[in-house]
Protein backbone atom coordinates (compact mmCIF):
# COMPACT_ATOMS: atom_id res chain seq x y z
CA UNK A 1 0.00 0.00 0.00
CA UNK A 2 1.43 3.40 -0.93
CA UNK A 3 1.69 5.80 1.97
CA UNK A 4 -0.25 9.05 1.84
CA UNK A 5 2.03 12.02 2.55
CA UNK A 6 1.24 13.96 5.74
CA UNK A 7 -2.36 12.79 6.01
CA UNK A 8 -4.33 14.68 8.60
CA UNK A 9 -7.77 13.66 9.85
CA UNK A 10 -9.64 16.49 11.50
CA UNK A 11 -13.04 18.03 12.06
CA UNK A 12 -14.65 19.61 9.03
CA UNK A 13 -14.41 23.39 8.71
CA UNK A 14 -16.92 25.62 6.89
CA UNK A 15 -14.32 26.31 4.17
CA UNK A 16 -14.06 22.56 3.41
CA UNK A 17 -17.64 22.22 2.27
CA UNK A 18 -17.08 22.96 -1.44
CA UNK A 19 -14.55 20.12 -1.67
CA UNK A 20 -16.69 17.77 0.41
CA UNK A 21 -19.68 18.38 -1.86
CA UNK A 22 -17.53 17.75 -4.96
CA UNK A 23 -16.19 14.52 -3.44
CA UNK A 24 -19.71 13.40 -2.60
CA UNK A 25 -20.87 14.11 -6.18
CA UNK A 26 -17.88 12.29 -7.66
CA UNK A 27 -18.39 9.26 -5.40
CA UNK A 28 -22.14 8.58 -5.63
CA UNK A 29 -24.80 8.46 -8.35
CA UNK A 30 -27.29 9.79 -5.78
CA UNK A 31 -25.19 12.25 -3.74
CA UNK A 32 -26.51 13.93 -0.63
CA UNK A 33 -27.38 17.56 -1.30
CA UNK A 34 -25.22 20.33 0.06
CA UNK A 35 -27.84 21.62 2.50
CA UNK A 36 -28.08 18.17 4.14
CA UNK A 37 -24.31 17.87 4.55
CA UNK A 38 -24.16 21.39 5.97
CA UNK A 39 -26.91 20.55 8.46
CA UNK A 40 -24.97 17.49 9.62
CA UNK A 41 -21.74 19.46 9.92
CA UNK A 42 -23.51 22.05 12.04
CA UNK A 43 -25.28 19.45 14.20
CA UNK A 44 -22.33 17.08 14.70
CA UNK A 45 -19.06 18.94 14.17
CA UNK A 46 -17.14 16.33 16.22
CA UNK A 47 -18.13 13.45 13.98
CA UNK A 48 -17.99 15.09 10.56
CA UNK A 49 -14.37 14.43 9.66
CA UNK A 50 -12.16 15.09 6.68
CA UNK A 51 -8.86 13.53 5.64
CA UNK A 52 -6.56 16.02 3.98
CA UNK A 53 -3.04 16.30 2.74
CA UNK A 54 -1.28 19.43 1.63
CA UNK A 55 -4.53 21.37 1.84
CA UNK A 56 -6.47 18.98 -0.41
CA UNK A 57 -9.40 16.97 0.92
CA UNK A 58 -9.01 13.29 0.00
CA UNK A 59 -11.82 11.80 2.06
CA UNK A 60 -14.64 12.54 4.42
CA UNK A 61 -17.09 10.78 6.68
CA UNK A 62 -20.07 11.73 8.78
CA UNK A 63 -22.06 10.02 11.50
CA UNK A 64 -25.47 10.95 12.84
CA UNK A 65 -26.63 9.96 16.32
CA UNK A 66 -29.82 7.93 16.13
CA UNK A 67 -31.83 6.79 19.11
CA UNK A 68 -30.13 3.46 19.74
CA UNK A 69 -27.00 3.59 17.60
CA UNK A 70 -24.57 5.80 15.70
CA UNK A 71 -25.49 5.85 12.01
CA UNK A 72 -22.77 6.12 9.41
CA UNK A 73 -24.35 8.48 6.90
CA UNK A 74 -21.52 8.62 4.41
CA UNK A 75 -17.86 7.86 3.81
CA UNK A 76 -15.96 8.56 0.62
CA UNK A 77 -12.37 8.71 -0.51
CA UNK A 78 -11.16 10.42 -3.68
CA UNK A 79 -11.00 7.76 -6.39
CA UNK A 80 -7.29 8.31 -7.06
CA UNK A 81 -6.45 7.80 -3.40
CA UNK A 82 -8.39 4.64 -2.57
CA UNK A 83 -6.89 1.48 -1.05
CA UNK A 84 -4.23 3.37 0.82
CA UNK A 85 -5.85 3.20 4.24
CA UNK A 86 -7.58 6.58 4.20
CA UNK A 87 -11.04 5.07 4.71
CA UNK A 88 -9.74 3.06 7.64
CA UNK A 89 -8.08 6.15 9.13
CA UNK A 90 -11.42 7.97 8.92
CA UNK A 91 -13.24 5.12 10.70
CA UNK A 92 -10.59 4.97 13.44
CA UNK A 93 -10.86 8.73 13.95
CA UNK A 94 -14.64 8.37 14.21
CA UNK A 95 -14.21 5.68 16.86
CA UNK A 96 -11.97 7.99 18.83
CA UNK A 97 -14.46 10.86 18.51
CA UNK A 98 -17.45 8.70 19.43
CA UNK A 99 -15.74 6.83 22.26
CA UNK A 100 -16.99 3.51 20.85
CA UNK A 101 -19.89 3.37 23.27
CA UNK A 102 -22.73 2.44 20.93
CA UNK A 103 -23.19 0.15 17.94
CA UNK A 104 -22.53 1.68 14.54
CA UNK A 105 -24.93 0.86 11.71
CA UNK A 106 -25.09 1.71 8.01
CA UNK A 107 -26.79 0.94 4.72
CA UNK A 108 -24.83 0.00 1.63
CA UNK A 109 -26.01 -0.85 -1.88
CA UNK A 110 -25.99 -4.57 -2.52
CA UNK A 111 -23.90 -3.95 -5.66
CA UNK A 112 -21.24 -1.86 -3.88
CA UNK A 113 -18.81 -4.71 -3.39
CA UNK A 114 -15.79 -2.51 -2.68
CA UNK A 115 -17.56 -0.75 0.18
CA UNK A 116 -18.95 -4.05 1.51
CA UNK A 117 -15.41 -5.52 1.52
CA UNK A 118 -14.16 -2.37 3.20
CA UNK A 119 -16.76 -2.62 5.97
CA UNK A 120 -16.17 -6.35 6.48
CA UNK A 121 -12.45 -5.67 6.81
CA UNK A 122 -13.22 -3.05 9.43
CA UNK A 123 -15.32 -5.24 11.71
CA UNK A 124 -18.84 -4.74 10.37
CA UNK A 125 -21.15 -7.69 9.73
CA UNK A 126 -24.23 -7.95 7.53
CA UNK A 127 -27.31 -8.04 9.70
CA UNK A 128 -30.15 -7.95 7.15
CA UNK A 129 -31.31 -6.80 3.73
CA UNK A 130 -33.71 -3.91 3.22
CA UNK A 131 -35.41 -4.69 -0.08
CA UNK A 132 -35.90 -1.78 -2.50
CA UNK A 133 -34.40 0.67 -0.02
CA UNK A 134 -32.91 3.00 -2.62
CA UNK A 135 -34.96 5.24 -4.91
CA UNK A 136 -33.92 3.24 -7.97
CA UNK A 137 -35.17 0.06 -6.31
CA UNK A 138 -31.82 -1.45 -5.32
CA UNK A 139 -31.65 -3.37 -2.05
CA UNK A 140 -29.58 -2.13 0.87
CA UNK A 141 -27.50 -4.36 3.07
CA UNK A 142 -27.66 -3.27 6.68
CA UNK A 143 -24.29 -3.67 8.31
CA UNK A 144 -23.43 -3.19 11.96
CA UNK A 145 -20.48 -3.16 14.28
CA UNK A 146 -21.10 -3.78 17.95
C1 LIG B 1 -15.41 2.48 0.51
C2 LIG B 1 -14.25 3.47 0.49
C3 LIG B 1 -14.61 4.68 1.38
C4 LIG B 1 -13.00 2.80 1.06
O1 LIG B 1 -11.97 3.77 1.17
P1 LIG B 1 -10.41 3.37 1.04
O2 LIG B 1 -9.62 4.53 1.47
O3 LIG B 1 -10.16 2.82 -0.31
O4 LIG B 1 -10.32 2.18 2.12
P2 LIG B 1 -9.01 1.55 2.79
O5 LIG B 1 -7.84 1.81 1.93
O6 LIG B 1 -8.96 1.97 4.21
O7 LIG B 1 -9.41 0.01 2.80
C5 LIG B 1 -9.16 -0.77 1.68
C6 LIG B 1 -9.85 -2.11 1.90
O8 LIG B 1 -11.23 -2.02 1.55
C7 LIG B 1 -11.60 -3.12 0.72
N1 LIG B 1 -11.70 -2.64 -0.66
C8 LIG B 1 -11.68 -1.35 -1.05
N2 LIG B 1 -11.81 -1.27 -2.39
C9 LIG B 1 -11.92 -2.53 -2.84
C10 LIG B 1 -12.09 -3.10 -4.12
N3 LIG B 1 -12.17 -2.32 -5.24
N4 LIG B 1 -12.15 -4.44 -4.23
C11 LIG B 1 -12.08 -5.21 -3.13
N5 LIG B 1 -11.90 -4.74 -1.88
C12 LIG B 1 -11.84 -3.40 -1.73
C13 LIG B 1 -10.46 -4.10 0.85
O9 LIG B 1 -10.67 -4.86 2.01
C14 LIG B 1 -9.28 -3.16 1.00
O10 LIG B 1 -8.20 -3.77 1.62
P3 LIG B 1 -6.97 -4.26 0.70
O11 LIG B 1 -6.61 -3.07 -0.14
O12 LIG B 1 -5.92 -4.65 1.69
O13 LIG B 1 -7.52 -5.39 -0.10
C15 LIG B 1 -13.93 3.93 -0.97
O14 LIG B 1 -13.84 2.78 -1.79
C16 LIG B 1 -14.96 4.88 -1.56
O15 LIG B 1 -14.89 6.10 -1.39
N6 LIG B 1 -15.95 4.33 -2.33
C17 LIG B 1 -16.95 5.18 -2.99
C18 LIG B 1 -17.94 5.73 -1.99
C19 LIG B 1 -18.68 4.61 -1.29
O16 LIG B 1 -19.17 3.67 -1.90
N7 LIG B 1 -18.79 4.76 0.06
C20 LIG B 1 -19.53 3.80 0.88
C21 LIG B 1 -20.98 4.12 0.84
S1 LIG B 1 -21.96 2.98 1.79
Amino acid sequence: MLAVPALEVRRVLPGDMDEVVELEKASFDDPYPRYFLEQLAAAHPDTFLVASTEGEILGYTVVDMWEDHDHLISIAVHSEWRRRGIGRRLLLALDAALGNRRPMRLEVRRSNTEAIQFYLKNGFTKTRTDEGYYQDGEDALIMERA
Side-chain angles (χ1 to χ4, degrees), residues 52-121:
S52 78
T53 185
E54 295 164 354
E56 187 190 352
I57 290 185
L58 305 183
Y60 95 95
T61 188
V62 56
V63 159
D64 197 8
M65 284 79 183
W66 290 17
E67 196 176 318
D68 60 346
H69 70 277
D70 296 323
H71 202 88
L72 188 71
I73 301 287
S74 190
I75 183 167
V77 171
H78 192 298
S79 59
E80 287 169 22
W81 291 87
R82 289 180 191 160
R83 298 191 90 164
R84 300 194 201 190
I86 297 176
R88 183 173 176 80
R89 283 278 303 274
L90 283 164
L91 282 185
L92 288 172
L94 271 183
D95 287 345
L98 289 162
N100 249 340
R101 288 184 305 271
R102 305 201 304 162
M104 190 179 288
R105 196 174 298 161
L106 59 89
E107 297 95 23
V108 56
R109 284 179 180 270
R110 188 197 274 284
S111 64
N112 192 350
T113 48
E114 59 186 55
I116 293 167
Q117 288 307 315
F118 168 75
Y119 292 130
L120 288 172
K121 187 175 182 180

